[in-house]
């Protein structure tokens, strides 16, 4: 998966298309991500002993990683990250358009 936790992404498919948000969580096995504030679903929780929250709660549902793209903080536009090496020898992800360094590649 190219997307990482903390990345700002745009949704490119489905009912939330065009929305942007920060990646809160990744589910590597399912290749899905939770994007903050996007793709809310209403879950109906049964009142059970020991469970305080009952009734309807709003919760972000995971989105498939192929339906989101990374947004460059500088261009403010969808981009593909490329891995480059700095003079210091460290590997970073950078924007293919403006060369802005997005973060350290791990
Ligand atoms: Zn850029």
């Amino acid at each position: 998966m190219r997307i990482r936790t903390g990345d700002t992404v745009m949704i490119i498919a489905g009912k939330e298309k065009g929305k942007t948000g920060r990646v809160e969580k990744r589910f590597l096995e399912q290749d899905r991500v939770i994007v903050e504030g996007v793709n809310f679903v209403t879950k109906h929780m049964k009142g059970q002993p020991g469970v305080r929250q009952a009734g309807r709660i709003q919760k972000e549902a995971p989105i498939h990683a192929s339906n989101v793209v990374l947004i460059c903080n500088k261009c403010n536009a969808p981009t593909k990250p490329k891995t480059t090496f700095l003079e210091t020898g460290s590997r970073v992800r950078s924007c293919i358009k403006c060369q802005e360094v997005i973060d350290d590649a791990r």
Side-chain angles (χ1 to χ4, degrees):
M1 198 193 288
R2 298 189 320 263
I3 307 294
R4 297 209 176 96
T5 308
D7 280 352
T8 302
V9 295
M10 180 184 278
I11 317 302
I12 53 166
K15 68 183 169 79
E16 304 283 42
K17 190 175 173 179
K19 286 191 182 175
T20 59
R22 201 177 60 85
V23 175
E24 259 189 358
K25 203 172 178 184
R26 295 194 302 170
F27 301 94
L28 289 176
E29 280 164 26
Q30 292 95 2
D31 213 23
R32 286 171 185 272
V33 293
I34 296 267
V35 182
E36 195 176 50
V38 176
N39 203 32
F40 276 105
V41 290
T42 305
K43 291 207 168 184
H44 298 269
M45 303 293 283
K46 272 186 194 164
Q48 284 170 357
V51 180
R52 261 184 305 172
Q53 195 164 21
R56 291 161 35 152
I57 58 160
Q58 294 273 303
K59 200 174 188 315
E60 287 112 327
I63 299 171
H64 199 264
S66 65
N67 292 340
V68 304
V69 290
L70 187 67
I71 298 283
C72 171
N73 290 328
K74 196 175 176 188
C75 308
N76 211 19
T79 186
K80 276 185 184 166
K82 67 168 183 181
T83 304
T84 49
F85 289 90
L86 297 181
E87 286 167 16
T88 56
S90 55
R91 238 158 54 108
V92 295
R93 286 190 308 163
S94 58
C95 173
I96 52 167
K97 292 175 188 166
C98 69
Q99 314 302 320
E100 176 82 353
V101 170
I102 296 163
D103 67 5
D104 292 343
R106 277 155 285 175

XYZ file of all heavy atoms in Angstrom:
824
model
N 0.845 -1.205 0.000
C 0.000 0.000 0.000
C 0.877 1.250 0.000
O 1.815 1.346 0.769
C -0.893 -0.012 1.252
C -2.090 0.911 1.148
S -2.885 1.154 2.759
C -3.644 -0.456 2.994
N 0.563 2.192 -0.874
C 1.371 3.421 -0.955
C 0.968 4.430 0.113
O 1.723 5.336 0.449
C 1.195 4.100 -2.317
C 1.630 3.292 -3.511
C 1.605 4.179 -4.733
N 0.435 5.063 -4.730
C -0.677 4.815 -5.379
N -0.796 3.742 -6.085
N -1.686 5.652 -5.330
N -0.281 4.310 0.590
C -0.807 5.282 1.543
C -0.338 4.953 2.956
O -0.288 3.796 3.339
C -2.359 5.266 1.495
C -2.863 5.459 0.053
C -2.954 6.309 2.425
C -2.558 6.799 -0.553
N -0.020 5.974 3.707
C 0.415 5.773 5.084
C -0.488 6.520 6.054
O -1.145 7.489 5.685
C 1.836 6.304 5.265
C 2.829 5.555 4.429
C 4.177 5.574 5.090
N 5.102 4.770 4.300
C 5.925 5.282 3.384
N 5.944 6.562 3.195
N 6.715 4.508 2.707
N -0.431 6.096 7.310
C -1.157 6.799 8.361
C -0.652 8.233 8.443
O 0.556 8.465 8.415
C -0.954 6.088 9.714
O -1.267 4.715 9.541
C -1.857 6.674 10.778
N -1.572 9.194 8.506
C -1.180 10.600 8.587
C -1.148 11.287 7.239
O -1.082 12.506 7.172
N -1.213 10.514 6.164
C -1.244 11.108 4.830
C -2.559 11.843 4.608
O -3.600 11.442 5.115
C -1.154 10.014 3.753
C 0.263 9.526 3.528
O 1.195 10.126 4.084
O 0.422 8.540 2.789
N -2.508 12.920 3.828
C -3.741 13.568 3.387
C -4.094 12.963 2.039
O -3.273 12.937 1.131
C -3.540 15.089 3.255
O -3.115 15.597 4.510
C -4.851 15.764 2.854
N -5.325 12.465 1.945
C -5.720 11.787 0.715
C -7.032 12.346 0.184
O -7.796 12.979 0.914
C -5.882 10.257 0.924
C -4.550 9.613 1.279
C -6.921 9.952 1.993
N -7.263 12.109 -1.093
C -8.546 12.461 -1.708
C -9.230 11.178 -2.147
O -8.584 10.261 -2.650
C -8.337 13.383 -2.913
C -9.651 13.777 -3.588
S -9.400 14.766 -5.077
C -9.178 16.392 -4.349
N -10.566 11.161 -1.968
C -11.341 10.004 -2.397
C -11.655 10.175 -3.883
O -12.111 11.244 -4.308
C -12.676 9.896 -1.602
C -12.466 10.174 -0.109
C -13.353 8.554 -1.837
C -11.482 9.294 0.590
N -11.393 9.152 -4.672
C -11.571 9.295 -6.120
C -12.679 8.408 -6.672
O -12.906 8.360 -7.880
C -10.249 9.003 -6.889
C -9.677 7.636 -6.492
C -9.242 10.109 -6.641
C -8.584 7.156 -7.436
N -13.366 7.675 -5.803
C -14.457 6.824 -6.282
C -15.501 6.685 -5.190
O -15.215 6.895 -4.017
C -13.922 5.456 -6.689
N -16.706 6.375 -5.613
C -17.784 6.137 -4.665
C -18.506 7.403 -4.266
O -18.275 8.477 -4.820
N -19.370 7.289 -3.261
C -20.238 8.408 -2.894
C -19.483 9.549 -2.219
O -19.974 10.660 -2.159
C -21.386 7.920 -1.991
C -20.984 7.452 -0.609
C -22.200 6.926 0.174
C -21.801 6.216 1.453
N -21.474 7.098 2.562
N -18.278 9.294 -1.735
C -17.490 10.328 -1.065
C -16.448 10.943 -1.994
O -15.561 11.664 -1.555
C -16.796 9.745 0.170
C -17.719 9.094 1.171
C -18.467 10.107 2.017
O -18.940 11.122 1.474
O -18.579 9.891 3.228
N -16.568 10.670 -3.275
C -15.623 11.163 -4.279
C -15.369 12.663 -4.139
O -16.317 13.437 -4.015
C -16.186 10.854 -5.663
C -15.243 11.084 -6.806
C -15.902 10.608 -8.086
C -15.058 10.986 -9.287
N -15.677 10.501 -10.526
N -14.108 13.063 -4.162
C -13.757 14.474 -4.095
C -13.449 14.976 -2.701
O -12.881 16.044 -2.525
N -13.825 14.191 -1.684
C -13.540 14.620 -0.313
C -12.093 14.329 0.049
O -11.485 13.399 -0.469
C -14.455 13.888 0.667
C -15.879 14.390 0.652
C -16.650 13.818 1.823
C -18.100 14.280 1.771
N -18.897 13.656 2.827
N -11.563 15.140 0.955
C -10.205 14.901 1.407
C -10.176 14.724 2.916
O -11.061 15.203 3.625
C -9.269 16.073 1.041
O -9.764 17.261 1.640
C -9.158 16.249 -0.455
N -9.168 14.057 3.388
C -9.019 13.853 4.823
C -7.696 13.187 5.131
O -6.924 12.832 4.239
N -7.458 13.048 6.424
C -6.208 12.463 6.880
C -6.434 10.978 7.172
O -7.455 10.597 7.739
C -5.767 13.171 8.165
C -4.300 13.048 8.512
C -4.009 13.850 9.766
N -4.807 13.371 10.894
C -4.448 12.355 11.669
N -3.317 11.743 11.475
N -5.216 11.964 12.662
N -5.470 10.166 6.781
C -5.581 8.725 7.022
C -5.362 8.442 8.501
O -4.323 8.795 9.067
C -4.564 7.929 6.179
C -4.605 6.440 6.535
C -4.846 8.127 4.701
N -6.369 7.863 9.127
C -6.299 7.585 10.554
C -5.775 6.197 10.858
O -5.112 5.981 11.853
C -7.703 7.707 11.163
C -7.929 9.002 11.870
C -9.228 9.012 12.642
O -9.981 8.032 12.598
O -9.478 10.030 13.296
N -6.130 5.273 9.993
C -5.804 3.891 10.281
C -5.695 3.112 8.980
O -6.363 3.447 8.002
C -6.926 3.298 11.146
C -6.532 2.105 11.959
C -7.655 1.742 12.907
C -7.287 0.494 13.697
N -8.362 0.051 14.564
N -4.841 2.108 8.987
C -4.727 1.268 7.805
C -5.050 -0.168 8.172
O -4.717 -0.624 9.259
C -3.298 1.309 7.262
C -2.868 2.641 6.764
C -1.607 2.522 5.951
N -0.515 1.913 6.718
C 0.635 1.519 6.173
N 0.825 1.650 4.883
N 1.586 0.995 6.915
N -5.679 -0.857 7.244
C -5.911 -2.285 7.402
C -5.158 -2.968 6.275
O -5.665 -3.110 5.170
C -7.406 -2.610 7.344
C -8.219 -1.903 8.396
C -8.832 -0.690 8.121
C -8.348 -2.447 9.667
C -9.572 -0.029 9.097
C -9.081 -1.793 10.646
C -9.695 -0.583 10.364
N -3.932 -3.331 6.556
C -3.054 -3.827 5.507
C -3.585 -5.081 4.827
O -3.490 -5.217 3.611
C -1.657 -4.095 6.084
C -0.856 -2.841 6.436
C 0.452 -3.221 7.090
C -0.607 -1.985 5.197
N -4.167 -5.986 5.605
C -4.629 -7.238 5.006
C -5.793 -7.021 4.052
O -5.917 -7.691 3.035
C -5.021 -8.240 6.098
C -3.788 -8.916 6.683
C -4.072 -9.605 7.990
O -5.223 -9.988 8.230
O -3.122 -9.759 8.780
N -6.658 -6.065 4.400
C -7.799 -5.789 3.521
C -7.477 -4.719 2.488
O -8.303 -4.434 1.630
C -9.020 -5.329 4.341
C -9.621 -6.396 5.225
C -9.079 -6.337 6.657
O -8.277 -5.472 6.974
N -9.506 -7.269 7.488
N -6.281 -4.092 2.609
C -5.901 -3.025 1.696
C -6.886 -1.857 1.781
O -7.271 -1.270 0.777
C -5.838 -3.568 0.255
C -4.752 -2.861 -0.548
O -3.819 -2.337 0.077
O -4.850 -2.827 -1.774
N -7.306 -1.538 3.013
C -8.275 -0.476 3.224
C -7.750 0.529 4.244
O -6.885 0.200 5.051
C -9.605 -1.054 3.732
C -10.380 -1.764 2.662
C -11.572 -2.504 3.211
N -12.200 -3.264 2.145
C -13.145 -2.763 1.341
N -13.603 -1.547 1.527
N -13.633 -3.484 0.374
N -8.300 1.750 4.169
C -7.897 2.795 5.107
C -9.130 3.484 5.695
O -10.181 3.531 5.059
C -7.011 3.872 4.421
C -5.671 3.289 4.010
C -7.711 4.507 3.220
N -8.976 4.001 6.906
C -9.986 4.863 7.505
C -9.526 6.296 7.280
O -8.402 6.656 7.636
C -10.101 4.619 9.027
C -10.593 3.198 9.330
C -11.001 5.682 9.680
C -12.071 3.035 9.499
N -10.367 7.106 6.639
C -10.031 8.500 6.415
C -10.891 9.345 7.348
O -12.120 9.220 7.350
C -10.257 8.915 4.945
C -9.847 10.360 4.736
C -9.481 8.001 4.014
N -10.209 10.183 8.137
C -10.860 11.021 9.138
C -11.995 11.840 8.525
O -11.776 12.584 7.569
C -9.810 11.954 9.727
C -10.200 12.639 11.006
C -9.033 13.458 11.544
O -8.449 14.238 10.761
O -8.701 13.290 12.710
N -13.183 11.707 9.063
C -14.309 12.536 8.645
C -14.955 12.156 7.326
O -15.800 12.879 6.824
N -14.549 11.031 6.755
C -15.071 10.640 5.448
C -15.672 9.234 5.528
O -15.174 8.377 6.246
C -13.941 10.657 4.380
C -14.458 10.157 3.032
C -13.378 12.058 4.235
N -16.740 9.048 4.762
C -17.386 7.734 4.648
C -18.016 7.254 5.953
O -17.810 6.118 6.379
C -16.388 6.688 4.119
C -17.092 5.512 3.458
O -18.152 5.685 2.870
N -16.524 4.335 3.567
N -18.820 8.131 6.544
C -19.514 7.755 7.776
C -20.616 6.747 7.492
O -21.320 6.842 6.494
C -20.140 8.985 8.442
C -19.166 9.747 9.294
C -18.643 10.943 8.858
C -18.781 9.238 10.528
C -17.737 11.649 9.645
C -17.888 9.944 11.315
C -17.366 11.140 10.872
N -20.733 5.804 8.361
C -21.860 4.880 8.316
C -22.527 4.913 9.679
O -21.893 5.218 10.687
C -21.431 3.434 7.990
C -20.969 3.328 6.556
C -20.365 2.944 8.958
N -23.817 4.640 9.680
C -24.536 4.584 10.947
C -24.601 3.140 11.403
O -25.025 2.263 10.665
C -25.955 5.140 10.785
O -25.853 6.450 10.251
C -26.671 5.207 12.124
N -24.108 2.927 12.580
C -24.148 1.574 13.125
C -25.207 1.518 14.208
O -25.323 2.428 15.019
C -22.785 1.183 13.705
C -21.745 1.014 12.642
C -20.681 0.042 13.074
C -19.809 -0.321 11.873
N -18.819 -1.336 12.192
N -25.938 0.465 14.188
C -26.966 0.279 15.214
C -26.412 -0.633 16.297
O -26.085 -1.778 16.054
C -28.233 -0.322 14.604
C -28.840 0.567 13.580
N -29.791 1.515 13.885
C -28.597 0.707 12.256
C -30.104 2.172 12.781
N -29.397 1.700 11.784
N -26.284 -0.048 17.467
C -25.712 -0.815 18.573
C -26.835 -1.249 19.510
O -27.673 -0.451 19.906
C -24.714 0.043 19.355
C -23.597 0.610 18.501
S -22.476 -0.626 17.858
C -21.518 -0.946 19.352
N -26.806 -2.501 19.836
C -27.782 -2.995 20.808
C -27.318 -2.657 22.211
O -26.132 -2.707 22.501
C -27.896 -4.517 20.697
C -28.907 -4.974 19.670
C -29.045 -6.479 19.750
C -29.770 -7.019 18.532
N -29.593 -8.473 18.406
N -28.287 -2.310 23.049
C -27.950 -2.089 24.441
C -27.619 -3.420 25.103
O -28.391 -4.355 25.049
N -26.425 -3.488 25.620
C -26.013 -4.731 26.278
C -25.420 -4.398 27.630
O -24.882 -3.312 27.809
C -24.938 -5.441 25.441
C -25.492 -6.133 24.228
C -24.383 -6.614 23.300
O -23.204 -6.370 23.564
N -24.749 -7.264 22.236
N -25.495 -5.335 28.530
C -24.838 -5.079 29.820
C -23.357 -4.803 29.604
O -22.710 -5.533 28.858
C -25.034 -6.393 30.586
C -26.161 -7.081 29.902
C -26.113 -6.646 28.471
N -22.877 -3.746 30.194
C -21.448 -3.433 30.069
C -21.143 -2.558 28.871
O -20.047 -2.038 28.743
N -22.079 -2.386 27.959
C -21.868 -1.503 26.820
C -22.686 -0.240 27.048
O -23.912 -0.286 27.059
C -22.279 -2.172 25.490
C -22.053 -1.213 24.326
C -21.498 -3.448 25.281
N -21.971 0.845 27.256
C -22.663 2.082 27.588
C -23.380 2.674 26.382
O -24.487 3.167 26.480
C -21.670 3.103 28.135
C -21.673 3.158 29.653
C -20.761 4.246 30.124
N -19.398 4.078 29.579
C -18.431 4.967 29.695
N -18.654 6.086 30.331
N -17.231 4.760 29.199
N -22.711 2.613 25.225
C -23.260 3.304 24.062
C -24.229 2.395 23.298
O -23.835 1.383 22.735
C -22.131 3.758 23.142
C -22.614 4.778 22.138
C -21.439 5.513 21.504
O -20.320 5.028 21.509
N -21.687 6.685 20.959
N -25.470 2.758 23.330
C -26.466 1.999 22.585
C -27.165 2.938 21.626
O -27.047 4.153 21.727
C -27.469 1.375 23.545
N -27.864 2.380 20.674
C -28.561 3.211 19.707
C -27.721 3.383 18.466
O -26.908 2.533 18.125
N -27.911 4.518 17.787
C -27.211 4.715 16.525
C -25.937 5.522 16.735
O -25.958 6.573 17.346
C -28.133 5.443 15.547
C -29.294 4.576 15.097
C -30.397 5.410 14.526
N -29.867 6.575 13.810
C -30.488 7.160 12.802
N -31.625 6.697 12.367
N -29.981 8.214 12.236
N -24.846 5.029 16.233
C -23.615 5.808 16.299
C -23.032 5.965 14.893
O -23.178 5.097 14.052
C -22.555 5.179 17.237
C -22.198 3.751 16.811
C -23.019 5.209 18.678
C -20.879 3.284 17.368
N -22.386 7.114 14.682
C -21.753 7.393 13.403
C -20.300 6.970 13.481
O -19.602 7.265 14.440
C -21.819 8.896 13.114
C -23.220 9.410 12.908
C -23.665 9.273 11.471
O -23.033 9.788 10.567
N -24.752 8.567 11.255
N -19.862 6.277 12.452
C -18.514 5.754 12.495
C -17.943 5.775 11.076
O -18.670 5.525 10.124
C -18.576 4.302 12.989
C -17.290 3.779 13.538
C -17.533 2.383 14.123
C -16.328 1.855 14.862
N -15.044 2.037 14.181
N -16.656 6.095 10.954
C -16.033 6.058 9.641
C -15.848 4.593 9.217
O -15.376 3.791 10.008
C -14.657 6.741 9.647
C -14.731 8.250 9.750
C -14.200 8.766 11.064
O -14.362 8.056 12.071
O -13.643 9.877 11.071
N -16.216 4.306 7.977
C -16.018 2.960 7.445
C -14.761 2.950 6.583
O -14.426 3.950 5.948
C -17.218 2.549 6.614
N -14.062 1.829 6.562
C -12.840 1.754 5.750
C -13.133 1.911 4.260
O -14.183 1.509 3.777
C -12.315 0.340 6.044
C -12.975 -0.094 7.296
C -14.312 0.583 7.313
N -12.197 2.521 3.566
C -12.285 2.729 2.119
C -11.145 1.956 1.478
O -10.028 1.928 2.018
C -12.138 4.232 1.779
C -13.269 5.037 2.439
C -12.134 4.463 0.271
C -13.078 6.535 2.343
N -11.409 1.334 0.348
C -10.343 0.578 -0.309
C -9.233 1.518 -0.775
O -9.496 2.608 -1.286
C -10.900 -0.204 -1.503
C -9.986 -1.316 -1.924
N -9.072 -1.176 -2.929
C -9.815 -2.563 -1.426
C -8.383 -2.305 -3.045
N -8.819 -3.162 -2.148
N -7.998 1.079 -0.583
C -6.839 1.934 -0.868
C -6.780 2.366 -2.330
O -6.226 3.422 -2.642
C -5.549 1.215 -0.486
N -7.378 1.577 -3.220
C -7.347 1.954 -4.636
C -8.303 3.112 -4.925
O -8.264 3.692 -6.009
C -7.705 0.750 -5.514
O -9.036 0.351 -5.279
N -9.158 3.455 -3.964
C -10.118 4.546 -4.162
C -9.645 5.861 -3.560
O -10.406 6.837 -3.540
C -11.476 4.178 -3.546
C -12.159 3.053 -4.306
O -11.840 2.800 -5.460
N -13.064 2.364 -3.668
N -8.431 5.900 -3.055
C -7.891 7.148 -2.521
C -6.545 7.448 -3.168
O -5.830 6.539 -3.570
C -7.731 7.116 -0.970
C -9.041 6.779 -0.296
C -6.636 6.164 -0.536
N -6.245 8.747 -3.297
C -4.935 9.145 -3.812
C -4.301 10.141 -2.850
O -4.989 10.912 -2.178
C -5.006 9.785 -5.223
C -5.366 8.747 -6.263
C -5.969 10.951 -5.253
N -2.998 10.135 -2.801
C -2.257 11.043 -1.949
C -2.383 12.476 -2.458
O -2.342 12.728 -3.659
C -0.793 10.611 -1.946
C 0.146 11.321 -0.980
C -0.220 10.980 0.466
C 1.579 10.911 -1.257
N -2.533 13.407 -1.520
C -2.574 14.823 -1.872
C -1.256 15.455 -1.438
O -0.816 15.259 -0.308
C -3.730 15.547 -1.128
C -5.095 14.975 -1.525
C -3.686 17.050 -1.356
C -5.593 15.429 -2.861
N -0.652 16.211 -2.334
C 0.584 16.920 -1.993
C 0.226 18.176 -1.213
O -0.646 18.949 -1.626
C 1.337 17.293 -3.258
S 2.725 18.393 -2.962
N 0.891 18.394 -0.075
C 0.599 19.563 0.751
C 0.948 20.873 0.056
O 0.380 21.911 0.351
C 1.378 19.485 2.071
C 0.822 18.387 2.973
O -0.370 18.109 2.949
N 1.690 17.762 3.738
N 1.895 20.818 -0.863
C 2.335 22.033 -1.533
C 1.482 22.336 -2.764
O 0.985 23.441 -2.925
C 3.806 21.900 -1.923
C 4.463 23.208 -2.277
C 5.937 22.999 -2.521
C 6.587 24.292 -2.968
N 7.986 24.045 -3.390
N 1.311 21.341 -3.637
C 0.468 21.521 -4.830
C -1.005 21.573 -4.458
O -1.811 22.108 -5.206
C 0.592 20.361 -5.813
S 2.214 19.888 -6.302
N -1.340 20.944 -3.328
C -2.737 20.812 -2.929
C -3.525 20.060 -3.995
O -4.677 20.372 -4.270
C -3.353 22.181 -2.637
C -4.435 22.074 -1.569
O -4.478 21.098 -0.826
N -5.299 23.050 -1.502
N -2.895 19.100 -4.617
C -3.515 18.340 -5.699
C -3.086 16.886 -5.594
O -2.055 16.586 -4.988
C -3.079 18.916 -7.038
N -3.877 16.012 -6.189
C -3.503 14.593 -6.151
C -2.143 14.375 -6.790
O -1.821 14.998 -7.811
C -4.596 13.906 -6.973
C -5.743 14.843 -6.952
C -5.137 16.225 -6.899
N -1.371 13.512 -6.211
C -0.049 13.250 -6.752
C 0.334 11.807 -6.504
O -0.322 11.104 -5.747
C 1.002 14.182 -6.114
O 2.242 13.984 -6.761
C 1.168 13.887 -4.622
N 1.373 11.395 -7.185
C 1.953 10.088 -6.882
C 3.302 10.344 -6.233
O 4.095 11.120 -6.759
C 2.155 9.284 -8.176
C 0.911 8.549 -8.606
C 1.221 7.692 -9.800
C -0.056 7.024 -10.300
N 0.120 6.454 -11.634
N 3.535 9.703 -5.114
C 4.835 9.914 -4.495
C 5.912 9.110 -5.208
O 5.642 8.032 -5.737
C 4.628 9.388 -3.075
C 3.530 8.393 -3.181
C 2.681 8.795 -4.360
N 7.096 9.657 -5.263
C 8.228 8.869 -5.748
C 9.268 8.836 -4.650
O 9.368 9.757 -3.847
C 8.790 9.449 -7.038
C 9.437 10.801 -6.856
C 10.224 11.202 -8.078
C 10.925 12.548 -7.818
N 11.686 13.025 -8.937
N 10.021 7.785 -4.637
C 11.057 7.658 -3.619
C 12.358 8.222 -4.167
O 12.779 7.882 -5.271
C 11.252 6.179 -3.242
O 9.998 5.662 -2.814
C 12.253 6.029 -2.121
N 12.934 9.148 -3.412
C 14.198 9.733 -3.852
C 15.209 9.679 -2.721
O 14.850 9.497 -1.558
C 14.032 11.208 -4.274
O 13.314 11.892 -3.258
C 13.294 11.335 -5.580
N 16.455 9.829 -3.061
C 17.506 9.839 -2.059
C 18.026 11.255 -1.885
O 18.307 11.946 -2.867
C 18.656 8.915 -2.479
C 18.292 7.464 -2.389
C 17.722 6.814 -3.476
C 18.486 6.756 -1.209
C 17.366 5.472 -3.391
C 18.125 5.422 -1.117
C 17.572 4.775 -2.205
N 18.131 11.681 -0.632
C 18.692 12.996 -0.354
C 20.213 12.907 -0.328
O 20.785 11.812 -0.296
C 18.200 13.505 1.008
C 16.694 13.736 1.162
C 16.403 14.256 2.562
C 16.182 14.736 0.127
N 20.844 14.072 -0.332
C 22.315 14.095 -0.272
C 22.821 13.456 1.006
O 23.919 12.934 1.057
C 22.818 15.543 -0.364
C 22.693 16.095 -1.775
C 22.897 17.606 -1.812
O 23.425 18.159 -0.833
O 22.521 18.214 -2.833
N 21.982 13.516 2.041
C 22.372 12.922 3.323
C 22.298 11.399 3.289
O 22.736 10.741 4.217
C 21.436 13.417 4.445
O 20.083 13.103 4.073
C 21.558 14.901 4.660
N 21.709 10.856 2.201
C 21.614 9.411 2.080
C 20.288 8.843 2.535
O 20.027 7.659 2.354
N 19.432 9.706 3.118
C 18.158 9.178 3.584
C 17.145 9.113 2.440
O 17.189 9.913 1.502
C 17.623 10.020 4.741
O 17.546 11.366 4.361
N 16.277 8.153 2.547
C 15.261 7.935 1.527
C 14.007 8.706 1.899
O 13.534 8.611 3.012
C 14.919 6.436 1.493
C 15.131 5.751 0.164
C 15.282 4.269 0.402
N 14.171 3.704 1.149
C 13.248 2.908 0.631
N 13.286 2.602 -0.637
N 12.307 2.403 1.364
N 13.443 9.446 0.989
C 12.212 10.187 1.270
C 11.206 9.958 0.152
O 11.567 9.591 -0.963
C 12.466 11.710 1.408
C 13.342 12.013 2.604
C 13.046 12.282 0.131
N 9.935 10.196 0.468
C 8.905 10.226 -0.567
C 8.732 11.673 -0.977
O 8.624 12.548 -0.125
C 7.578 9.692 -0.029
C 7.540 8.203 0.155
C 6.139 7.738 0.459
N 5.547 8.479 1.564
C 4.242 8.499 1.823
N 3.410 7.839 1.063
N 3.781 9.175 2.840
N 8.688 11.920 -2.266
C 8.483 13.293 -2.715
C 7.447 13.326 -3.827
O 7.148 12.320 -4.458
C 9.802 13.902 -3.183
O 10.350 13.125 -4.225
N 6.905 14.530 -4.032
C 5.860 14.749 -5.027
C 6.477 14.723 -6.423
O 7.507 15.351 -6.650
C 5.215 16.109 -4.746
S 4.036 16.632 -5.989
N 5.845 14.001 -7.361
C 6.417 13.949 -8.712
C 6.261 15.276 -9.446
O 6.956 15.540 -10.398
C 5.801 12.820 -9.585
C 4.274 12.888 -9.605
C 6.280 11.457 -9.139
C 3.659 12.018 -10.679
N 5.328 16.127 -8.974
C 5.088 17.389 -9.668
C 6.004 18.506 -9.191
O 6.651 19.167 -9.982
C 3.627 17.815 -9.507
C 2.669 16.890 -10.245
C 1.237 17.279 -9.954
C 0.274 16.234 -10.529
N -1.072 16.388 -10.005
N 6.021 18.728 -7.864
C 6.766 19.887 -7.362
C 8.033 19.497 -6.609
O 8.749 20.360 -6.125
C 5.871 20.736 -6.456
S 5.469 19.927 -4.899
N 8.291 18.205 -6.503
C 9.480 17.690 -5.823
C 9.465 17.887 -4.311
O 10.443 17.596 -3.629
C 10.788 18.297 -6.381
C 10.878 18.320 -7.904
C 10.753 16.941 -8.516
O 11.274 15.977 -8.010
N 10.014 16.851 -9.606
N 8.357 18.438 -3.791
C 8.255 18.646 -2.346
C 8.389 17.306 -1.623
O 7.767 16.321 -2.002
C 6.883 19.280 -2.028
C 6.593 19.474 -0.550
C 7.228 20.740 0.020
O 8.009 21.395 -0.700
O 6.948 21.041 1.188
N 9.201 17.310 -0.572
C 9.376 16.080 0.195
C 8.125 15.865 1.070
O 7.701 16.761 1.796
C 10.645 16.165 1.082
C 10.697 14.990 2.055
C 11.871 16.184 0.198
N 7.537 14.708 0.958
C 6.324 14.407 1.720
C 6.690 13.852 3.093
O 6.211 14.315 4.105
C 5.407 13.445 0.932
C 4.918 14.149 -0.352
C 4.221 13.011 1.792
C 4.349 13.210 -1.390
N 7.502 12.870 3.124
C 8.018 12.375 4.395
C 9.141 11.384 4.167
O 9.510 11.100 3.031
C 6.894 11.764 5.259
C 6.337 10.493 4.637
O 6.882 10.029 3.606
O 5.362 9.970 5.184
N 9.666 10.864 5.253
C 10.719 9.863 5.153
C 10.128 8.561 4.645
O 9.089 8.128 5.108
C 11.343 9.603 6.532
C 12.114 10.809 7.034
O 12.429 11.682 6.213
O 12.396 10.858 8.230
N 10.783 7.958 3.681
C 10.354 6.635 3.246
C 10.862 5.614 4.238
O 11.994 5.716 4.704
C 10.905 6.352 1.843
N 9.999 4.698 4.565
C 10.428 3.667 5.521
C 10.390 2.300 4.862
O 9.790 2.130 3.824
C 9.526 3.664 6.761
C 9.961 4.731 7.767
C 8.807 5.141 8.646
N 7.902 5.994 7.905
C 6.743 6.438 8.396
N 6.357 6.072 9.578
N 5.965 7.228 7.681
Zn 3.532 18.698 -5.063
